[in-house]
Amino acid sequence: LLLQGRVYGMRGAALHSRAQELIDRFGLAEAADRTVRTYSGGMQRKLDVAVGLMHRPQVLFLDEPTTGLDPEARVDMWNEIARLAGDEGLTILMTTHYLEEADGLARRLAIVDRGRVVAEGTPDELKGELRGDAIHVELEEHQMDGEVRRALERVPDLYDISVEARALHARADSGARAVPLVLASLEAEGVKVASVTVSRPSLDDVYLRHAGRAFNEADQEVKKP
């Protein structure tokens, strides 16, 4: 922290005061005399953010700040990011692979697929583009896309249908009315269902619409060597 401050021209009492302020704010006081390699993942992420704040910037860039954190540490980081943006008016540009994180924190977001911006707007604007309910069906076994689609041809008012291995995604104006028909049609074709859920539109549904596949599948493609 002191080194970062010196790089940005901070000196004397102001330098040490700011470092101590950030150590206290991020709960690192008890570990301040330990080498960083002994820190947990959550502590290291907190220190990363503290270093970025040392010289009181107007814009803060965070690259996947919660990746690898346990649930408690992730919530702590979310709260700190929200406080920085809300109470201190800091502009934060953040990349994340957690769509629920983007939904909860971002005032405006861009979804990038294969290096292209495929959707941009506020979370509510993007979710508002999708009418009706999202239906997610987990199949007991891997099914051929065509076989499942034939089963669903008998279900009226079903659209945006996609099949990925054992996962079936579709949309309907009324999920409550569509689900019994979907299950009956799949059963008639001998397709066994493990579980089914109905939900209002999410950012994962937005990504599925614009990218043509689920976000976690796209994430795996990015990570391939």
Side-chain angles (χ1 to χ4, degrees):
L1 289 171
L2 294 175
L3 175 60
Q4 177 79 353
R6 292 190 184 101
V7 168
Y8 282 90
M10 300 175 68
R11 297 291 185 272
L15 170 66
H16 289 269
S17 175
R18 179 61 172 169
Q20 188 61 52
E21 175 189 345
L22 292 170
I23 286 172
D24 293 339
R25 177 194 297 182
F26 285 93
L28 298 173
E30 293 184 3
D33 293 330
R34 287 166 42 193
T35 54
V36 175
R37 66 173 175 268
T38 67
Y39 283 16
S40 66
M43 293 168 66
Q44 290 182 24
R45 291 291 193 285
K46 289 179 179 180
L47 181 59
D48 287 341
V49 177
V51 168
L53 294 172
M54 187 66 191
H55 61 293
R56 302 182 189 276
Q58 293 181 316
V59 180
L60 181 65
F61 292 82
L62 298 177
D63 184 16
E64 300 185 39
T66 62
T67 298
L69 299 185
D70 62 55
E72 183 178 0
R74 185 177 300 164
V75 170
D76 286 343
M77 184 62 72
W78 287 351
N79 291 337
E80 184 59 29
I81 291 171
R83 192 191 67 77
L84 289 170
D87 297 346
E88 299 192 12
L90 190 65
T91 298
I92 299 175
L93 180 63
M94 183 178 73
T95 63
T96 180
H97 281 95
Y98 299 111
L99 289 176
E100 74 276 14
E101 183 170 89
D103 197 357
L105 292 176
R107 293 183 180 175
R108 188 168 186 84
L109 62 89
I111 294 178
V112 180
D113 179 43
R114 305 182 197 270
R116 278 190 315 118
V117 175
V118 296
E120 186 176 0
T122 68
D124 286 342
E125 286 173 349
L126 293 176
K127 289 183 292 185
E129 295 175 358
L130 303 179
R131 62 187 176 92
D133 298 321
I135 300 173
H136 304 281
V137 180
E138 182 183 351
L139 308 176
E140 288 190 358
E141 300 175 351
H142 187 285
Q143 300 289 334
M144 297 296 292
D145 185 304
E147 184 178 18
V148 175
R149 287 181 181 275
R150 282 196 303 273
L152 298 180
E153 287 176 355
R154 296 189 291 271
V155 181
D157 302 322
L158 202 65
Y159 47 91
D160 290 350
I161 301 169
S162 67
V163 182
E164 304 157 5
R166 294 172 51 201
L168 162 64
H169 306 278
R171 301 197 61 76
D173 291 336
S174 173
R177 288 198 299 269
V179 164
L181 299 177
V182 168
L183 295 178
S185 296
L186 291 173
E187 183 179 1
E189 290 289 336
V191 178
K192 296 182 179 180
V193 173
S195 65
V196 59
T197 59
V198 179
S199 62
R200 298 301 299 164
S202 67
L203 286 184
D204 197 77
D205 298 316
V206 174
Y207 193 95
L208 183 63
R209 178 187 183 188
H210 288 281
R213 62 206 191 286
F215 186 81
N216 57 359
E217 180 187 351
D219 187 26
Q220 291 303 314
E221 290 180 8
V222 170
K223 292 177 180 178
K224 288 180 181 178

